[in-house]
Amino acid sequence: LDELFGKGGVDIETERKVYVSDFVIPQEVKKSFDGFSKTEIHEATTYIRNFTRINDGVAEDGSLRSVRCIKKGLVFYGNVTCSENDKELLKEIIPMIKWLGCMRNRGMGKVNITVSEV
């Protein structure tokens, strides 16, 4: 991992590094939201899921919390840059990623990642 991604902080000694950009929705999708309010955009792309802690079959006082979740089917694009030596390895490994983020045991974070060369 250190060879591929470098160590924490500035690591200029390792030439073999993988760089991962932010993953964002396509520009065309962003443009389709022109004129919409922030609230309308949130409602179109996300939903609120509420959770509470259950103790002996009863909701525990003060345990209600809300999480904003991305709606299923939204597509994000980003770039992964690497050395020529690591390209085949990453093309094999990246599609194996099936879950990202937290609350996976509650049905969250399932992803389908495809790789194409630019």
Side-chain angles (χ1 to χ4, degrees):
L1 284 175
D2 287 346
E3 285 181 31
L4 283 176
F5 293 100
K7 295 180 182 177
V10 178
D11 180 11
I12 57 174
E13 296 177 18
T14 306
E15 290 183 29
R16 199 179 151 199
K17 286 190 187 170
V18 174
Y19 298 95
V20 181
S21 74
D22 289 339
F23 278 62
V24 296
I25 59 175
Q27 197 62 33
E28 305 81 47
V29 175
K30 285 182 184 179
K31 286 180 184 176
S32 71
F33 286 117
D34 284 350
F36 288 84
S37 71
K38 190 174 186 177
T39 301
E40 291 170 321
I41 295 169
H42 278 171
E43 288 175 5
T45 58
T46 65
Y47 63 96
I48 302 292
R49 189 160 173 188
N50 297 305
F51 299 93
T52 189
R53 181 175 299 127
I54 303 296
N55 192 0
D56 292 326
V58 179
E60 196 172 294
D61 285 342
S63 68
L64 180 64
R65 57 204 180 279
S66 299
V67 177
R68 183 170 296 279
C69 305
I70 297 170
K71 288 185 177 179
K72 184 177 181 176
L74 205 54
V75 177
F76 293 83
Y77 292 90
N79 294 306
V80 177
T81 307
C82 65
S83 71
E84 192 66 33
N85 295 340
D86 296 321
K87 184 167 52 171
E88 291 306 315
L89 174 64
L90 288 173
K91 284 169 69 175
E92 186 177 328
I93 291 173
I94 289 174
M96 292 180 180
I97 299 170
K98 301 294 180 209
W99 302 92
L100 290 174
C102 56
M103 293 192 289
R104 293 183 298 271
N105 60 343
R106 293 192 172 135
M108 305 294 213
K110 185 160 181 142
V111 296
N112 179 17
I113 302 176
T114 56
V115 178
S116 60
E117 288 191 51
V118 180

